Amino acid sequence: MILVTGGAGYIGSHTCVELLNAGKEIVVLDNFANSSRKSLERVLQISRKPFAVVEGDIRDQAVLEKTLKDFGCTAVIHFAGLKSVLESVNSPLDYYDNNVIGSHRLLRAMQTSGVKRMIFSSSATVYGDPKFLPYTEDHPLNPVNPYGRTKLIVEEMLRDLSASDPTWSIGILRYFNPIGAHESGLIGEDPKGVPNNLLPFVAQVAVGRRERLNIWGNDYDTADGTGVRDYIHVVDLAQGHVAALKSLEQTGCFALNLGTGRGNSVLEVVKAFEQASGKPIPYDMRPRRSGDIASCYAATDRATRYLGGWRATRDIETMCRDHWRWQSQNPNGYAG
Ligand code: NAD
Ligand code: UD1
């Protein structure tokens, strides 16, 4: 039995589908701070495999201990946390509370319960300004915002824990830019308020919820001047977690990039989305967004080696097509 914290969220819900498809039993723990119960109903609709849901907070150690014990959990996939860079700059204490204290309580509950296998959602944001590209896992870690620092602190806590007790098995996965949706169009990303990230914003323009996209900067040192990122299909990412679970059969602590190794510019993404949706995406060129970098993409060979040959296979056209299917079938997300 696997405990999935934050399993109702964007990446969590897709991972639940892949875990259930792979025949795993799961219990989801989520406080629904940034998600809807509907996503879990849809996970059931896609997988047709029942699973348990606990409404609870990762900062509540008693609930965690009870859940681990009652369900006989042997591993945890830990997605729960807050993820907005902007919000973390304005409310850093909320981010340290949720992401750092929450992860600490979870680890404590696992230790008390004798559960010593964990996969942790980290982010490429832990690398900070690139000293070289592609980012390898050995690139210096220097996050430039509170959100990124919460991820780095948890990573360090996990490395210290593994060093102190070598019977733990810990996989730290550093995601690049997850986009897209399950091919059914039933689950996908459903951000609250005005999206900060590119794809949700572009999709909302295409579906008529927003008028125009702002492109933050066209004077970067990239082929067309707009920012380049390593977009990865969320289903590829989810399948990476199933592969990582297998790697937890060995003890120790590993950190892996989950990306495609390829970069696409903002203009390339806009073009691919226009083709996938058949809708025009009007845009305005704006000054650079503070904190942004020109380019960001992953070295992927270590992940492929550790994860038994796993690699991301879906291209940017498929990502946009699947993202559009979700957005067009659910113009207002899970709100209906
Ligand atoms: P999400 O917000 O959709 O999902 C997070 C889930 O955790 C939500 O369902 C939320 O309700 C739940 N949650 C938050 N705080 C909680 C708490 N204290 N107790 C219980 N549940 C709680 O985000 P996502 O995009 O699915 O991201 C999942 C993880 O991956 C996060 O840790 C995020 O930081 C990390 N990550 C995301 C991205 C990305 O671009 N989406 C990139 C890198 C890393
Ligand atoms: C952002 C976060 C990063 C986080 C990641 C995934 C910042 C500074 N970084 O990364 O820490 O891990 O999301 O959640 O917030 N863009 C536009 N117009 C828009 C939105 C984005 O032009 O309306 C551009 C950006 O300038 C960038 C690219 O699109 O070049 C991708 O942006 P985004 O989706 O926000 O991801 P990151 O900036 O990579």
Side-chain angles (χ1 to χ4, degrees), residues 5-13 29-36 39 56-60 78-84 97-99 102 120-125 147 150-151 173-179 188-190 192 197 234 237 241:
T5 74
Y10 173 46
I11 304 171
S13 56
L29 183 137
D30 204 300
N31 67 358
F32 302 103
N34 195 39
S35 54
S36 157
S39 69
D57 195 295
I58 52 164
R59 290 162 294 185
D60 184 342
H78 177 31
F79 293 107
L82 303 178
K83 64 163 181 178
S84 156
D97 187 38
N98 224 295
N99 294 2
F120 172 61
S121 300
S122 188
S123 167
T125 201
Y147 164 68
T150 67
K151 290 291 174 192
L173 303 181
R174 297 180 183 145
Y175 312 151
F176 279 67
N177 290 56
I179 62 169
E189 188 170 13
D190 183 20
K192 294 205 165 112
N197 295 125
V234 66
L237 191 69
H241 289 71

Side-chain angles (χ1 to χ4, degrees), residues 220-241:
Y220 284 108
D221 185 15
T222 59
D224 63 25
T226 64
V228 166
R229 296 291 182 274
D230 184 338
Y231 297 96
I232 176 170
H233 197 296
V234 66
V235 174
D236 278 327
L237 191 69
Q239 289 169 347
H241 289 71

